[in-house]
Amino acid sequence: MDAKKEQERAELHRTIWNIANQLRGSVDGWDFKQYVLGMLFYRYISENLTSYINRGEREAGNPDFDYAKLTDEEAEPARMDLVQTKGFFILPSQLFENVRQRAASDENLNETLENIFRSIEASTIGGPSEANFKGLFDDIDVNSNKLGPTVAKRNERLVKLLDEIGNMKLGDYQDNTIDAFGDAYEFLMSMYASNAGKSGGEFFTPQEVSELLTQIALAGKTEVNKVYDPACGSGSLLLKAAKILGKENVRQGFFGQEINLTTYNLCRINMFLHDIDYDKFDIAHGDTLTDPKHWDDEPFEAIVSNPPYSIRWEGDANPLLINDPRFSPAGVLAPKSKADLAFIMHSLAWLATTGTAAIVCFPGVLYRGGAEQKIRKYLIDNNYVDCIIQLPDNLFFGTSIATCIMVLKKSKTDNSTLFIDASKECVKITNNNKLTQENIETILSAYTARGNKDHFARLVPNAEIAAQDYNLSVSTYVDQKDTREVIDIKKLNKEIEKIVAREQELRDEIAKIIAEIEGQA
């Protein structure tokens, strides 16, 4: 499995690298990402729709049927039905494979593509999927000067882009052992790392950390009502839940909120690329802390998140927030310069009684005083903290900080908190550390065992945490293994005695030699 996975990943990375070289110099890496993922999405929905229609026709006894070969007139009557079932409609002439075939001879390729993108979005208007398609193609500007100074140059690059995306060996998306889109996204992020900081602070969670976080949130469950991420980025954590449980076992689907418009669009594209139907996801755009969506929804049984670290928020500058039912129970708001615990309180408020939330945290939130200490006091006194896991440093792209995972539950059976020191559970790859499958399983088994293990895990009564002023740092409760050499004092003293004796012998020898020399003089 792993060899196949690495082979698919290498193939995908090679293709993306080729596309980057084709476009290099014209499109800044950050914008280039939008073109690649946008075209990948266009290819995907074209193939997805075609295979859906073809499968239906072939099952109905029409073995040679191919939607891509129909005329637009022949296809038009199916529009209404397809918008209801698939959420969108594409005419045969607008399908990726047909546009690609004609691309090199189409002098108005940029206009052709723009019209197609517009008409795909328009096909959803008034339909049940309208909100999930609105603005999806906005970031793929086929008329941008970034693609080239003239229409001819732009079209030349678009032809290359269509060809390279068309040549990607993606097979049937469900059969891929790698998450092709997620992997492409992650590879693009690391390729253009130097721009990552400049682009509105987009973060991404390495797939191995996603795996650990999601496995913790789903531990002991075979199905959940729905999965939620309050800072969902491009949706990788939500989609891990689909992969681990099977999307049919997430009964009501995938929910999230994202503040960055481009990333919000990518997240919705990502849902489609993973064959999550429009009626099984609800991704909202906006600031989760001050303008939360999904307010009236049934609470979530699984919450996974890697919210931005120590960002500014309105905090007590907004007089309404202290009365907000998400934050008021703690009696204090997270500091204006550090919103981390506001995300924790928000997640707790959205969590079902039987649910689990697993959230990546900046380490400072576990020990700092002031308002953050008061929030920790509220969490511990009400027995909401299930576990704190210390992760290795250098796991995340763009920061070397050793982060932690805070696990929240509302109906624990014991009045204790588990602490796990997983700071050494990793392998070093170039400058970064990486969790292996074995590391993930070691951490998970300690989490599910919920017992003591020397230098690794400790179940601490909440009264002891209160006595430590509600400090939740793992190092306060789990002793690191002392790897220093044990010294045998008696043996050492004997060694020293020998050395001192030998030193005396040498002094006597030297004194004799000096005496002889002086005698001869």
Side-chain angles (χ1 to χ4, degrees), residues 356-380:
T356 307
I359 300 157
V360 179
C361 294
F362 189 80
V365 306
L366 301 177
Y367 57 78
R368 286 190 294 243
E372 291 181 305
Q373 184 190 29
K374 287 180 183 152
I375 295 171
R376 292 197 303 274
K377 179 181 188 320
Y378 165 76
L379 293 171
I380 291 295

mmCIF file of all heavy atoms in Angstrom, residues 356-380:
data_model
loop_
_atom_site.group_PDB
_atom_site.id
_atom_site.type_symbol
_atom_site.label_atom_id
_atom_site.label_comp_id
_atom_site.label_asym_id
_atom_site.label_seq_id
_atom_site.Cartn_x
_atom_site.Cartn_y
_atom_site.Cartn_z
ATOM 1 N N THR A 356 -16.675 14.511 20.718
ATOM 2 C CA THR A 356 -15.268 14.768 21.059
ATOM 3 C C THR A 356 -14.742 15.866 20.140
ATOM 4 O O THR A 356 -14.982 15.832 18.930
ATOM 5 C CB THR A 356 -14.407 13.498 20.835
ATOM 6 O OG1 THR A 356 -14.998 12.412 21.542
ATOM 7 C CG2 THR A 356 -12.981 13.700 21.315
ATOM 8 N N ALA A 357 -14.011 16.824 20.722
ATOM 9 C CA ALA A 357 -13.337 17.853 19.918
ATOM 10 C C ALA A 357 -11.835 17.692 20.107
ATOM 11 O O ALA A 357 -11.360 17.548 21.240
ATOM 12 C CB ALA A 357 -13.775 19.247 20.359
ATOM 13 N N ALA A 358 -11.086 17.677 18.991
ATOM 14 C CA ALA A 358 -9.618 17.604 19.057
ATOM 15 C C ALA A 358 -9.071 18.831 18.343
ATOM 16 O O ALA A 358 -9.324 19.027 17.155
ATOM 17 C CB ALA A 358 -9.128 16.319 18.402
ATOM 18 N N ILE A 359 -8.347 19.669 19.088
ATOM 19 C CA ILE A 359 -7.939 20.979 18.551
ATOM 20 C C ILE A 359 -6.443 21.191 18.777
ATOM 21 O O ILE A 359 -5.935 20.988 19.892
ATOM 22 C CB ILE A 359 -8.753 22.105 19.238
ATOM 23 C CG1 ILE A 359 -10.247 21.885 18.953
ATOM 24 C CG2 ILE A 359 -8.332 23.482 18.754
ATOM 25 C CD1 ILE A 359 -11.168 22.511 19.935
ATOM 26 N N VAL A 360 -5.740 21.590 17.723
ATOM 27 C CA VAL A 360 -4.311 21.902 17.850
ATOM 28 C C VAL A 360 -4.174 23.253 18.547
ATOM 29 O O VAL A 360 -4.861 24.209 18.197
ATOM 30 C CB VAL A 360 -3.623 21.952 16.467
ATOM 31 C CG1 VAL A 360 -2.144 22.310 16.615
ATOM 32 C CG2 VAL A 360 -3.752 20.616 15.741
ATOM 33 N N CYS A 361 -3.291 23.321 19.545
ATOM 34 C CA CYS A 361 -3.127 24.554 20.328
ATOM 35 C C CYS A 361 -1.678 25.030 20.330
ATOM 36 O O CYS A 361 -0.747 24.231 20.300
ATOM 37 C CB CYS A 361 -3.490 24.313 21.789
ATOM 38 S SG CYS A 361 -5.192 23.939 22.058
ATOM 39 N N PHE A 362 -1.549 26.321 20.463
ATOM 40 C CA PHE A 362 -0.267 26.969 20.699
ATOM 41 C C PHE A 362 0.083 26.713 22.171
ATOM 42 O O PHE A 362 -0.786 26.838 23.033
ATOM 43 C CB PHE A 362 -0.462 28.468 20.438
ATOM 44 C CG PHE A 362 0.806 29.257 20.438
ATOM 45 C CD1 PHE A 362 1.614 29.264 19.320
ATOM 46 C CD2 PHE A 362 1.169 30.007 21.546
ATOM 47 C CE1 PHE A 362 2.783 30.013 19.310
ATOM 48 C CE2 PHE A 362 2.339 30.751 21.542
ATOM 49 C CZ PHE A 362 3.145 30.756 20.416
ATOM 50 N N PRO A 363 1.339 26.339 22.503
ATOM 51 C CA PRO A 363 1.622 25.911 23.877
ATOM 52 C C PRO A 363 1.348 26.970 24.950
ATOM 53 O O PRO A 363 0.983 26.631 26.074
ATOM 54 C CB PRO A 363 3.114 25.537 23.840
ATOM 55 C CG PRO A 363 3.633 26.016 22.533
ATOM 56 C CD PRO A 363 2.488 26.184 21.608
ATOM 57 N N GLY A 364 1.489 28.238 24.616
ATOM 58 C CA GLY A 364 1.301 29.299 25.611
ATOM 59 C C GLY A 364 -0.053 29.277 26.292
ATOM 60 O O GLY A 364 -0.185 29.652 27.458
ATOM 61 N N VAL A 365 -1.080 28.808 25.581
ATOM 62 C CA VAL A 365 -2.440 28.826 26.161
ATOM 63 C C VAL A 365 -2.560 27.868 27.343
ATOM 64 O O VAL A 365 -3.500 27.947 28.113
ATOM 65 C CB VAL A 365 -3.542 28.502 25.113
ATOM 66 C CG1 VAL A 365 -3.438 29.408 23.917
ATOM 67 C CG2 VAL A 365 -3.508 27.040 24.687
ATOM 68 N N LEU A 366 -1.588 26.956 27.467
ATOM 69 C CA LEU A 366 -1.671 25.947 28.526
ATOM 70 C C LEU A 366 -1.128 26.445 29.864
ATOM 71 O O LEU A 366 -1.418 25.855 30.895
ATOM 72 C CB LEU A 366 -0.904 24.686 28.111
ATOM 73 C CG LEU A 366 -1.371 24.000 26.816
ATOM 74 C CD1 LEU A 366 -0.483 22.815 26.505
ATOM 75 C CD2 LEU A 366 -2.832 23.575 26.901
ATOM 76 N N TYR A 367 -0.327 27.524 29.839
ATOM 77 C CA TYR A 367 0.295 27.938 31.109
ATOM 78 C C TYR A 367 0.229 29.428 31.406
ATOM 79 O O TYR A 367 0.493 29.840 32.535
ATOM 80 C CB TYR A 367 1.766 27.475 31.163
ATOM 81 C CG TYR A 367 2.612 27.986 30.020
ATOM 82 C CD1 TYR A 367 3.105 29.295 30.005
ATOM 83 C CD2 TYR A 367 2.928 27.158 28.951
ATOM 84 C CE1 TYR A 367 3.880 29.758 28.954
ATOM 85 C CE2 TYR A 367 3.700 27.615 27.895
ATOM 86 C CZ TYR A 367 4.174 28.916 27.897
ATOM 87 O OH TYR A 367 4.933 29.384 26.853
ATOM 88 N N ARG A 368 -0.124 30.267 30.434
ATOM 89 C CA ARG A 368 -0.120 31.710 30.709
ATOM 90 C C ARG A 368 -1.159 32.077 31.764
ATOM 91 O O ARG A 368 -2.181 31.392 31.897
ATOM 92 C CB ARG A 368 -0.391 32.500 29.416
ATOM 93 C CG ARG A 368 0.812 32.508 28.471
ATOM 94 C CD ARG A 368 0.635 33.473 27.319
ATOM 95 N NE ARG A 368 -0.436 33.103 26.417
ATOM 96 C CZ ARG A 368 -0.271 32.786 25.131
ATOM 97 N NH1 ARG A 368 0.933 32.787 24.592
ATOM 98 N NH2 ARG A 368 -1.317 32.470 24.388
ATOM 99 N N GLY A 369 -0.923 33.194 32.471
ATOM 100 C CA GLY A 369 -1.839 33.625 33.532
ATOM 101 C C GLY A 369 -2.973 34.474 32.990
ATOM 102 O O GLY A 369 -3.320 34.399 31.811
ATOM 103 N N GLY A 370 -3.568 35.287 33.856
ATOM 104 C CA GLY A 370 -4.618 36.234 33.451
ATOM 105 C C GLY A 370 -5.883 35.541 32.984
ATOM 106 O O GLY A 370 -6.284 34.501 33.514
ATOM 107 N N ALA A 371 -6.488 36.123 31.943
ATOM 108 C CA ALA A 371 -7.772 35.623 31.431
ATOM 109 C C ALA A 371 -7.653 34.170 30.972
ATOM 110 O O ALA A 371 -8.583 33.366 31.155
ATOM 111 C CB ALA A 371 -8.246 36.502 30.274
ATOM 112 N N GLU A 372 -6.504 33.821 30.394
ATOM 113 C CA GLU A 372 -6.349 32.449 29.873
ATOM 114 C C GLU A 372 -6.375 31.428 31.020
ATOM 115 O O GLU A 372 -6.942 30.342 30.875
ATOM 116 C CB GLU A 372 -5.060 32.340 29.055
ATOM 117 C CG GLU A 372 -5.159 33.127 27.754
ATOM 118 C CD GLU A 372 -3.916 33.017 26.896
ATOM 119 O OE1 GLU A 372 -2.822 33.310 27.389
ATOM 120 O OE2 GLU A 372 -4.042 32.638 25.722
ATOM 121 N N GLN A 373 -5.789 31.811 32.168
ATOM 122 C CA GLN A 373 -5.824 30.908 33.328
ATOM 123 C C GLN A 373 -7.265 30.717 33.816
ATOM 124 O O GLN A 373 -7.678 29.606 34.166
ATOM 125 C CB GLN A 373 -4.958 31.474 34.450
ATOM 126 C CG GLN A 373 -4.884 30.531 35.648
ATOM 127 C CD GLN A 373 -4.225 31.183 36.847
ATOM 128 O OE1 GLN A 373 -4.291 32.391 37.027
ATOM 129 N NE2 GLN A 373 -3.582 30.376 37.662
ATOM 130 N N LYS A 374 -8.050 31.808 33.793
ATOM 131 C CA LYS A 374 -9.446 31.728 34.250
ATOM 132 C C LYS A 374 -10.268 30.810 33.329
ATOM 133 O O LYS A 374 -11.140 30.071 33.789
ATOM 134 C CB LYS A 374 -10.069 33.124 34.289
ATOM 135 C CG LYS A 374 -9.544 33.960 35.442
ATOM 136 C CD LYS A 374 -10.168 35.335 35.459
ATOM 137 C CE LYS A 374 -9.554 36.174 36.598
ATOM 138 N NZ LYS A 374 -9.578 37.588 36.303
ATOM 139 N N ILE A 375 -9.971 30.867 32.027
ATOM 140 C CA ILE A 375 -10.694 29.990 31.077
ATOM 141 C C ILE A 375 -10.304 28.532 31.331
ATOM 142 O O ILE A 375 -11.158 27.637 31.346
ATOM 143 C CB ILE A 375 -10.433 30.413 29.609
ATOM 144 C CG1 ILE A 375 -11.018 31.810 29.356
ATOM 145 C CG2 ILE A 375 -11.050 29.396 28.635
ATOM 146 C CD1 ILE A 375 -10.645 32.434 28.019
ATOM 147 N N ARG A 376 -9.005 28.293 31.582
ATOM 148 C CA ARG A 376 -8.562 26.913 31.882
ATOM 149 C C ARG A 376 -9.235 26.413 33.168
ATOM 150 O O ARG A 376 -9.623 25.249 33.268
ATOM 151 C CB ARG A 376 -7.036 26.845 32.031
ATOM 152 C CG ARG A 376 -6.268 27.076 30.759
ATOM 153 C CD ARG A 376 -4.822 26.595 30.882
ATOM 154 N NE ARG A 376 -4.099 27.210 31.974
ATOM 155 C CZ ARG A 376 -3.450 28.373 31.923
ATOM 156 N NH1 ARG A 376 -3.438 29.067 30.786
ATOM 157 N NH2 ARG A 376 -2.804 28.851 32.966
ATOM 158 N N LYS A 377 -9.355 27.299 34.153
ATOM 159 C CA LYS A 377 -10.021 26.945 35.426
ATOM 160 C C LYS A 377 -11.456 26.496 35.138
ATOM 161 O O LYS A 377 -11.924 25.467 35.645
ATOM 162 C CB LYS A 377 -10.007 28.150 36.373
ATOM 163 C CG LYS A 377 -10.697 27.877 37.716
ATOM 164 C CD LYS A 377 -10.671 29.140 38.592
ATOM 165 C CE LYS A 377 -11.170 28.912 40.006
ATOM 166 N NZ LYS A 377 -12.311 28.064 40.223
ATOM 167 N N TYR A 378 -12.151 27.259 34.297
ATOM 168 C CA TYR A 378 -13.530 26.900 33.932
ATOM 169 C C TYR A 378 -13.567 25.517 33.274
ATOM 170 O O TYR A 378 -14.404 24.670 33.600
ATOM 171 C CB TYR A 378 -14.116 27.971 32.989
ATOM 172 C CG TYR A 378 -15.374 27.518 32.285
ATOM 173 C CD1 TYR A 378 -16.594 27.466 32.964
ATOM 174 C CD2 TYR A 378 -15.341 27.096 30.955
ATOM 175 C CE1 TYR A 378 -17.746 27.017 32.329
ATOM 176 C CE2 TYR A 378 -16.486 26.646 30.311
ATOM 177 C CZ TYR A 378 -17.680 26.606 31.007
ATOM 178 O OH TYR A 378 -18.816 26.154 30.377
ATOM 179 N N LEU A 379 -12.632 25.278 32.345
ATOM 180 C CA LEU A 379 -12.614 24.006 31.603
ATOM 181 C C LEU A 379 -12.334 22.824 32.530
ATOM 182 O O LEU A 379 -12.975 21.767 32.421
ATOM 183 C CB LEU A 379 -11.570 24.058 30.480
ATOM 184 C CG LEU A 379 -11.841 25.035 29.335
ATOM 185 C CD1 LEU A 379 -10.622 25.137 28.416
ATOM 186 C CD2 LEU A 379 -13.069 24.625 28.523
ATOM 187 N N ILE A 380 -11.379 22.990 33.452
ATOM 188 C CA ILE A 380 -11.014 21.886 34.358
ATOM 189 C C ILE A 380 -12.082 21.689 35.431
ATOM 190 O O ILE A 380 -12.494 20.560 35.724
ATOM 191 C CB ILE A 380 -9.622 22.143 34.987
ATOM 192 C CG1 ILE A 380 -8.524 22.020 33.910
ATOM 193 C CG2 ILE A 380 -9.342 21.190 36.145
ATOM 194 C CD1 ILE A 380 -8.348 20.642 33.297
#
